Amino acid sequence: MEKSCTLLIHFDKGTPAIANEIKEALEGNDVPAKIDAMKKAIMLLLNGETLPQLFITIVRYVLPSEDHTVQKLLLLYLEIIEKTDARGRVLPEMILICQNLRNNLQHPNEYIRGVTLRFLCRLNETEIIEPLIPSVLQNLEHRHPFIRRNAILAVMSIYKLPQGEQLLVDAPDMIEKVLSTEQDPSAKRNAFLMLFTCAQDRATNYLLTHVDRVSEWGELLQMVVLELIRKVCRTNRGEKGKYIKIIISLLNAPSTAVIYECAGTLVSLSSAPTAIRAAANTYCQLLLSQSDNNVKLIVLDRLNELKSSHRDIMVDMIMDVLRALSSPNLDIRRKTLDIVLELITPRNISEVVLMLKKEVVKTQSGELEKNGEYRQMLIQAIHSCAIKFPEVASTVVHLLMDFLGDSNVASAIDVVVFVREIIETNPKLRVSIITRLLDTFYQIRAARVCSCALWIIGEYCLSLSEVESGIATIKQCLGELPFYSVSEEGEATDTSKKTPQANSITVSSRRPAILADGTYATQSAASETAFSPPAIVQGSLASGNLRSLLLTGDFFLGAVVACTLTKLILRLEEVQPSKVEVNKATTQALLIMVSMLQLGQSSVLPHPIDNDSYDRIVLCMRLLCNTGDEIRKIWLQSCRQSFVKMLSEKQLRETEELKAKAQVSHAQPDDLIDFYHLKSRKGMSQLELEDEVQDDLKRATGEFVKDADDANKLNRILQLTGFSDPVYAEAYVTVHHYDIVLDVTVINRTKETLQNLCLELATMGDLKLVERPQNYTLAPESSKQIKANIKVSSTETGVIFGNIVYETSNVLERTVVVLNDIHIDIMDYISPAVCTDAAFRTMWAEFEWENKVAVNTVIQDEKEFLDHIIKSTNMKCLTAPSALDGECGFLAANLYAKSVFGEDALVNVSIEKQADGKLSGYIRIRSKTQGIALSLGDKITLKQKGGS
C-alpha cells in the first residue's frame, strides 16, 4: 500500500542511501547535511522502506533544531511514519513527539506555530492529538492571521475525526464567534468553511443574516458561499429562491473566478430565462476578457452545454460568441464555429454570414502561420450556412470561388465541393457560377479540385455559349498538341530547347563556302543520325494547369477531361444547329484523347497509363464515334440524377442525426403538476416566478431526468464474495467519465463483531485509487456501505481486484476474504461520433496503432454482422445506407467513435461471403493510443461470435 503524503517527490532508486549514512549525517551539526539526510529518509519511507532505527536519532538530534527547513522536514517525516501497531494502537514512542509538538504550538516564531498547526490537520491518531487541544485553541486568538487561519483548519480536522465531537464539543460555537470578529479574509474563509463542513445550519444562518454584505467579502469566502448554496439547494430545492438573489449580486464581483462559479451555480439551480441569460452574458464576458486559451476553451464548453439545454436564449447571444474568433488559437476558433453553426436561425443568418465573410477576407493577409487551416474551417462553416439557408448562397459563393486556386489544397477542395452543391440546390445561380468558374479555371492547381470543377463544367454548361466556352477553356488549359514529340533526322527534338541529344551520332564533312566579303572559307556540314529518345513538349507559358498535371502522370485527371469533353460534345449536338461545327469540335476532342493515350503509352513518363483510365478514355472515343439515344440519356441525365440522390440522402442523414441528438421526454400521466396561476405569489421575486413556470413546463414534458431505473441498477451490481463466506460483499459500479465510484455493501454474516475490517483494493491498467481505505467495526449480522473512488486516465479496459481483511476477538490472526475481480468495460468511455470521410481518411493515415481482428462468427448475413458489431462497440457507421444496399457478397464499412478523453477510435469492417455461406474478412482498428486499439479489439473478439 502506498504511503499518503502531501508532498510528491521524484525518487531515483538507482543509488539508495544507506541508513547508517543518514544516521551519521543527522547526528552531526552541519545543517545542510542534516537537511539532505532528512530528505533521503523521507524518500526512502515513501518508497516502502521502514527505517525504524532512525526514529530515536531524529528525536535526539533533529527535534531540538531551530532551523525552519529542518522543522518542516521533521513534520513531513512524522506525517508518513507508522504511528500505530498492527492492532491500531498508538506506538509508545509517539509520546516522545507530543511534548515537542506542544512546544511548537507555543513557539515564539509564527512560522513554526503555523506549520505545526497545518501538520495536525493530517493527523488521525486521537491519543496524540488530545493533549494538544488546549494549545490549538489558544492559537485561535493569536495576533498573527497566519496562525489563526491554520488553527481554524486544525480545529475543523480534529472535529471531523470519528471521536472529534467528544474532543471538541463546543467547536462550532467557538468558530462562529471567531467568524463574527475575524478581519483576515483567509481566516474568515476557513472559519466559514469549518461551519459549512461541520455545522451547516450555523453557516446558513450566518449567510442569511449578512446577505447585504456578501458582495463585500473576499474572493475566497465568496467561493465557499457559492459551494454552500449549491449544497443547500441540492438538498432542498424549495429554498433556492432566497439564495438566487445572492448569486445575482455576486455576478458583479471583481474576481473572475467568482463570476465563473456564479454563472455555473445559477445554471445548475435555475431554469428561469432571466437567470440563464445572465449566466450566458457572464460566460461571453469571460470569453472576451480572459487571455488564457485554456480558460476560453472551458468557457466555450459551458456555452456549449447551455446551447444544448437553453437554445432559444443562446440564439440571442450568437454574435457575442462569434467575437471569440478574434483569438488566434485554432481550437478556440473551431469550437466557436461548432457552437455558432447550431444556433443559426433565419433571423441571424445574414449577420453570421457577413461576419464569416469578413474573417475569410482577413485570412488573405497571410500574417498568421495557420491562415490556410482557418480559412478551410470558415469555408466549411459558410457551406453549412448555405445548405441550411440557400438564400445566403448568392452572397458568398463568388467570394469563395476566388479560393479555388488556394495553395491549401484542403481549403480549395472544400470550396469546389461547396460550389458543386450550391449550383444544384440554387438553379438561379447556375449561369453566374458557370461563368465565374470558366473565368477562374486556369488558376486551379490541385488535381482533385480540377476533377470536381471539370465535372461541374460537364454537367451544368447547358447553353450554346456555355458549352463552347467550356470546350475552349479545356483546350486552352491543355495547351498545344502533341504532349510529346519524337525527334527525326536533321530536326530539333523540342521547339523550346535545342540542346544536342546525348545519344546522337554525328557525321561531319568539309566544303568551301563564299563569305560576305567574297573570300573563301571552310565550313563543316554535320548530319545527325537520330537515336534520340522522345521528349516532352512543354508548350508556351500560356499553357495551363491541365497540361502540367497530365505531364506529371495523373491520368485519372486525363480520364475526367475525356468524360467532360464527351458530355460537352453530346450537349453541343443538341444545342448547335451546324453539323460542321459539331464535327469540328468532335474531331478536336478525339485528337486530345488520342494524344493523352499516346502520352500514357510512351516512355516519356516514368509510369505508363493505368488500365482504368485507359479504358475510360477509349470508351469516350467510341461514344463520340457512335452515339445512341440510351447512351446519351445515361451521360446527360443519369449522372445528375445520381448526384441529386446523393445530396438528398446526405440531407436525410443529417436530419436523422439531429433528431437523435434531440432529447425525447415523456411525462407520466399521474405526475404531479403545480398550477402556476393558482399558486400564491406573495413574497416571490420575478426570477422565482419564472423559475416556477420553467419547472412546471419541464415536469409537464417529462424533461426532469430521473435516476436510472431500478432494473438498470440491478444489472450493474457485481457479487464480490460467495454466499458461504463469513463476509458477503457486492458492489454497485458507477462510471462518471473520469471517475469510477464503487458503492460496496459489506454484510457480517457471523455472530461475532468484526474489528478493523478493511476493504483493500488494487488496480491494473490506467486506474488509480484516490484514497486509502479506512478500518471499520462491524457488529454481528449488520451491514456497512463503503465507497471507493477510482480515477481513470485513459480509455482502456481496467481491472479492480482486492480483498476484505478483518479481525475477531477470538482469533489473533487477521482473516482475508479474496474478492472477485471487477472488469471496467471500455464501452463506458466511448460514444458514437460523426466525422467527414476526408477527416476519417486523414486520421486513418496518421494513427500509428492498428489492431487487426479476423472475422470469426456464426452470423451468415453481412449486414446483420455489421449491425451486431456496431451495437457491440457503441460506434457510429459513417458509410451511407445506400452504399450498403444490394447483395453482392462483399461489404466494407467505416465506424467511428470518440472517448470521453477526446481520443478517436476508427474501425474498418471488410467482409466477404464464402461459397459455404460463412463470413470471412478482417476488422481493423486504428487509434492514436495503444490502449483503445487493444481494448476495442478484445471487445470485438469477445462479442463477434454470437448475436447476443
Side-chain angles (χ1 to χ4, degrees), residues 120-132:
L120 292 182
C121 295
R122 298 186 283 273
L123 272 186
N124 297 320
E125 289 73 25
T126 309
E127 292 87 344
I128 300 174
I129 290 173
E130 190 171 4
L132 304 175

Side-chain angles (χ1 to χ4, degrees), residues 178-214:
V178 169
L179 182 59
S180 60
T181 57
E182 185 58 66
Q183 298 301 316
D184 180 64
S186 295
K188 201 165 187 174
R189 174 257 181 198
N190 290 351
F192 190 82
L193 180 64
M194 190 273 171
L195 293 180
F196 163 47
T197 309
C198 305
Q200 189 174 308
D201 293 341
R202 291 175 184 267
T204 306
N205 291 335
Y206 180 82
L207 174 61
L208 295 176
T209 52
H210 296 81
V211 170
D212 299 333
R213 300 183 59 190
V214 172

